[in-house]
Amino acid sequence: MIADFFIARPVLANVLAILIMVIGGVALFKLPVAQYPDVVPPTVQVTTRYPGASARAVIDSVALPIEQQVNGVDGMIYMQSYSGADGSYSLTVTFRIGFDINVAQILVQNRVSSALASLPQAVQSQGVVVQKNSPAILQIVTLTSPDARYDSLYLANYATINMKDALARLPGVGNVLVFGAGQYSMRVWLDPEKMHARSLVPQDVIQALQQQSVQVTAGQVGMPPAPAGQTFQYTINVAGKLTDTSEFANVIVKTGRAGEVTRLRDVGNVELGAQTYSQVFNLDGKPAAGLAIFQAPGANALEVANEVRSMLGELSRSFPQGLVSDVPFDTTKFVRQSIHEVYKTLFEAAILVLVVILIFLQDWRATLVPATTVPVTIIGAFAAMAALGFTVNFSTLFAIVLAIGIVVDDAIVVVEGAVHNIERGMTGREAASQAMRALFGPIIGITLVLMSVFLPAAFLPGLSGRMYAQFALVIAATALISAINAATLKPTQSAMWLRPAIPPERRNVFYRAFNRGYAALERGYTRLIDRMIERSTLMVVLALALLAVAGYGFTRVPTGFLPIEDQGYLIALVQLPQGASLERTQAAMTKVFQKARTAPGVAQVITIAGVSPLDNSAALASSGVAYIILKDWSERGKAEGLLALFNNLNASLGAIEKAQILVMPPPPIQGVGNDAGFTMQIQLRDGSFDMAKLQSITDRIIANAKSQSALQLVLSSFRANVPQVHAGGRPDKNGNLAGVAGSGVFGARRISGLELCRPVQQVWPRISDLCAGRARGAGKARGHSESHRPQQGWRHDSIGHAGQDHPYRRAFADQPLQSVPFVDHHRLAGARLFFRRSARDHGADCGAHAAAGDGIRMERDVVPGEARRQSDVSGFRPRPTSGLPGAGRPV
């Protein structure tokens, strides 16, 4: 038999056991360490920006072309996108669990490349980024200036230039995201009045900057072919891209025929600022910059955290004076503490098992045989974990803790069989060999039964199956290693170490007392079983009743995927009314910090205004998030536990006015969700995207949900009724420019519609027709030839408001009408629009309204809230300008 083979070769049996331990030990130091198995579906994120575009424009121009191409990519489960009011766009494509993230990124990149040609030029200039996305923030590194010598813009740029790339190169780091004021950018502010006065549009400035801020390659002087005798060869360096504000201010935008020059400083201002002002990052209420470290899939969280801290130590040596870095947010602290506790439990379980074995066998030689099973089997399990691609996490470590009580069973059976044979007078070798002949079959049977119990869990589908597969397969692997150990090493050790046992009456006082107590307990248990058998019917009824009670209790116990644990921090989600400004959001975040920092058990608070956690951390001015870092577990008492802090902070932060704030513990697995809540998706049956209808349904659901006492807070990431100002319009099928009244609700104040102006070239034909008495159709306005446009004669007079001149009067008084491209009425209360033209330039056509030599003024009162077609000039009253300043003056 196999046992006899190894009993005759004890060295081989020991070498085999040592080999299993060596392989497992090497695997233990190489395996990634994480809190839970990698059960988060891999995601790929597509991001870009359409500067100045509204959310609707981003949907139409960017989202649709990209998503039409990406939809249906291999391995995709679903995708979701966010289009921001600041022109930002992000698309998150989620793939099935286990899909290769590198392959997924390549597939998405190929699909996005097909859509690039359909995107606006401004988006193509910004670039479309496709990268692997990890929803789990491992750490947040902060940069602060204790003496306030550096502002948040400087801190964010220092982090971007000097730290981001160094941290991103570390092994195991998937991505580094900089939170804060943004990168440095040269900002050009154009003055509309000065631009109009010089007949310039923003595109003229853009083209001038593109043409005059370029990197020129000038070549070399004296390079071949050159005349004979050339002794030197020089590289020509010419001025490249513009770098400071003075250079940008001197950019020539326009030149006139007489040699006059218009520079950028003549029509606007230039300053060095941030590229975007969409975020405000604070640490403990002070300006700071943050670097979010994302872990790469399958990386060792503890090693990555150690590498980050080591790199920060190196980078801090070159920090300018007054700059300090820290890692206030570190999820690995909880992982370290948890793994330490599991290892502690593992050690305690092993000691308890050995103590139990020693008490029952009452022979230290017999105890050594199963005692050596624990390290061989448990350490060997790490080799199986490496072969299966698992990580050291809660699931696998709990499986090992449970397996300790299982793996010693085979060894105990072998020892008891060998001891029984030795008591019959056999030698150790004969006793072990005889015991294995009787026990080899049962050992194999027990192992197969154990494996058949746990292996089916490995075939469960979805996220739950992947979570419990590691637990089940580790136990199955330890059972298999235990069986191999019981068939090879255990009979060898029994043959070498076992001796005839000391008689029970000659054992020490503790063993004799234990034997007497155990014998009494055994007799009592036997009598109880005899009486239960005599009343078998009653026992069956009692068992069924217990099952019914257990089933009822099972339905009453709250359910969840994983328990919520104290991970050392809490998350506060802040949501202001739709359309709220970033300034209001920052004010609310300041109040959140002030209230949270004074709460007992809170160490630090990180606040980020302008980020929406409900929308994959997309930019949103009316949202924010606060990471409330708690003190170390050893520094907190029972009154500062997770539940007490949770209730305390929800009560205090909920009192902040004009903001919805939800304090919640972090989910057990970042990226999977939180057992404390649930999400709901709404889709119309007809498959349409009627935003008004979706918003109405969403509002009704939220209103009904808020009436439920068990729900703490209900929020929606769908925003279709955000207040907006609509400018201008577009011609309808008849050529009319339909104005869009842009009324909106901002807080509690309602602003009457502001219809911004349209080009006067589209208004002129109707004014001309009205003044000339011709009945031209408004629909012909768009199709009039150049001769009908106001090339001469008509001049802008004024736009009055509440008895005061409008700024346009000061800028364009007595200017030709064509030099004022936007002169339509502003639909503000009391506003009037005036045009005038010398009668001699319009002759008899206006004779009914003015005497020769007089001018014509067109005026009309503007009714507040009135919505009119932009080409509709009905209600304008021609009146002579006799007696008015400048009346009859040649134009």
Side-chain angles (χ1 to χ4, degrees), residues 355-431:
V355 169
V356 171
I357 294 174
L358 181 61
I359 291 175
F360 278 89
L361 295 182
Q362 299 178 359
D363 185 355
W364 68 271
R365 288 179 177 271
T367 304
L368 286 177
V369 178
T372 55
T373 299
V374 175
V376 174
T377 324
I378 298 305
I379 296 178
F382 290 104
M385 290 163 55
L388 294 170
F390 295 166
T391 61
V392 178
N393 54 68
F394 285 177
S395 183
T396 53
L397 289 179
F398 285 155
I400 291 176
V401 172
L402 179 62
I404 289 178
I406 298 175
V407 298
V408 297
D409 290 344
D410 294 339
I412 292 174
V413 170
V414 173
V415 169
E416 288 181 338
V419 168
H420 180 69
N421 290 334
I422 289 176
E423 291 175 350
R424 296 169 57 185
M426 296 184 184
T427 63
R429 183 169 181 174
E430 293 175 347

Side-chain angles (χ1 to χ4, degrees), residues 582-612:
L582 184 62
E583 181 180 356
R584 290 177 59 190
T585 304
Q586 177 57 24
M589 301 305 298
T590 302
K591 294 180 181 178
V592 169
F593 155 71
Q594 293 171 347
K595 291 180 176 292
R597 189 65 181 86
T598 57
V602 175
Q604 291 178 297
V605 179
I606 296 175
T607 59
I608 310 175
V611 173
S612 175

Side-chain angles (χ1 to χ4, degrees), residues 406 409-410 413 440-452 479:
I406 298 175
D409 290 344
D410 294 339
V413 170
F440 184 78
I443 289 175
I444 298 301
I446 291 173
T447 303
L448 293 177
V449 169
L450 282 174
M451 295 181 67
S452 65

Side-chain angles (χ1 to χ4, degrees), residues 175-406:
N175 188 25
V176 178
L177 181 62
V178 178
F179 289 121
Q183 300 183 30
Y184 276 123
S185 177
M186 199 65 66
R187 302 186 67 89
V188 178
W189 302 90
L190 301 177
D191 188 325
E193 297 181 358
K194 295 179 180 179
M195 293 281 290
H196 292 319
R198 292 166 174 80
S199 300
L200 292 173
V201 295
Q203 188 61 34
D204 297 330
V205 179
I206 294 175
Q207 292 178 356
L209 291 173
Q210 291 174 344
Q211 295 171 0
Q212 300 178 45
S213 179
V214 294
Q215 193 69 44
V216 180
T217 55
Q220 293 181 333
V221 174
M223 65 182 298
Q230 183 69 34
T231 56
F232 293 99
Q233 185 171 322
Y234 297 104
T235 301
I236 302 175
N237 294 322
V238 297
K241 290 188 175 182
L242 308 181
T243 56
D244 58 30
T245 56
S246 61
E247 293 177 348
F248 276 88
N250 286 323
V251 168
I252 298 175
V253 179
K254 182 180 179 181
T255 58
R257 296 181 180 179
E260 60 271 21
V261 176
T262 300
R263 300 183 183 273
L264 184 55
R265 63 170 178 263
D266 298 327
V267 293
N269 299 321
V270 182
E271 67 175 7
L272 181 63
Q275 185 177 13
T276 60
Y277 290 89
S278 58
Q279 285 184 7
V280 180
F281 184 95
N282 286 341
L283 174 63
D284 289 338
K286 298 180 180 179
L291 295 98
I293 310 297
F294 293 87
Q295 177 185 344
N300 190 325
L302 301 186
E303 289 185 0
V304 174
N306 291 334
E307 291 286 344
V308 169
R309 290 185 178 273
S310 177
M311 178 58 68
L312 285 179
E314 296 180 11
L315 295 174
S316 62
R317 298 171 187 170
S318 59
F319 281 177
Q321 188 175 3
L323 191 64
V324 177
S325 67
D326 192 14
V327 188
F329 180 84
D330 189 352
T331 60
T332 61
K333 291 181 180 179
F334 175 70
V335 176
R336 293 176 192 273
Q337 186 72 17
S338 303
I339 296 298
H340 172 74
E341 292 297 326
V342 174
Y343 278 129
K344 181 181 177 181
T345 303
L346 182 63
F347 177 77
E348 293 172 349
I351 296 298
L352 288 175
V353 168
L354 295 180
V355 169
V356 171
I357 294 174
L358 181 61
I359 291 175
F360 278 89
L361 295 182
Q362 299 178 359
D363 185 355
W364 68 271
R365 288 179 177 271
T367 304
L368 286 177
V369 178
T372 55
T373 299
V374 175
V376 174
T377 324
I378 298 305
I379 296 178
F382 290 104
M385 290 163 55
L388 294 170
F390 295 166
T391 61
V392 178
N393 54 68
F394 285 177
S395 183
T396 53
L397 289 179
F398 285 155
I400 291 176
V401 172
L402 179 62
I404 289 178
I406 298 175

Side-chain angles (χ1 to χ4, degrees), residues 611-793:
V611 173
S612 175
L614 298 177
D615 304 297
N616 291 328
S617 298
L620 185 63
S622 60
S623 295
V625 61
Y627 293 95
I628 303 173
I629 315 301
L630 307 180
K631 296 179 181 178
D632 190 81
W633 295 270
S634 60
E635 301 177 9
R636 283 187 274 150
K638 293 183 179 179
E640 298 174 349
L642 181 66
L643 182 59
L645 286 171
F646 172 78
N647 293 330
N648 183 19
L649 289 172
N650 266 307
S652 61
L653 298 183
I656 297 177
E657 298 180 354
K658 298 181 181 180
Q660 289 182 304
I661 301 177
L662 171 64
V663 180
M664 52 182 278
I669 303 178
Q670 294 193 48
V672 176
N674 195 322
D675 288 342
F678 61 91
T679 59
M680 179 185 300
Q681 288 185 329
I682 304 172
Q683 183 176 0
L684 298 180
R685 292 181 178 178
D686 56 4
S688 64
F689 190 63
D690 189 335
M691 297 182 68
K693 184 181 295 185
L694 286 171
Q695 187 66 57
S696 175
I697 296 173
T698 302
D699 293 341
R700 290 201 302 270
I701 292 176
I702 291 178
N704 293 332
K706 286 182 177 180
S707 64
Q708 304 298 317
S709 59
L711 299 179
Q712 178 186 0
L713 186 62
V714 183
L715 297 174
S716 172
S717 61
F718 182 72
R719 302 175 182 88
N721 58 356
V722 179
Q724 301 177 31
V725 176
H726 298 271
R730 65 180 63 185
D732 59 16
K733 62 181 180 180
N734 297 322
N736 296 324
L737 286 171
V740 183
S743 60
V745 179
F746 293 79
R749 299 191 315 172
R750 183 175 184 86
I751 297 180
S752 61
L754 173 64
E755 186 178 73
L756 299 184
C757 312
R758 63 189 179 282
V760 74
Q761 287 86 346
Q762 296 171 332
V763 184
W764 162 249
R766 287 289 291 143
I767 297 178
S768 176
D769 293 343
L770 178 64
C771 181
R774 301 186 183 94
R776 295 184 182 270
K780 297 182 180 180
R782 185 179 56 171
H784 277 295
S785 64
E786 187 70 19
S787 60
H788 289 281
R789 296 180 182 176
Q791 298 299 318
Q792 62 179 4

Side-chain angles (χ1 to χ4, degrees), residues 189 372 481 600 631 742 796 822 841 863 868:
W189 302 90
T372 55
I481 296 174
K631 296 179 181 178
H796 181 265
F822 298 96
D841 290 325
V863 180
R868 301 172 59 90

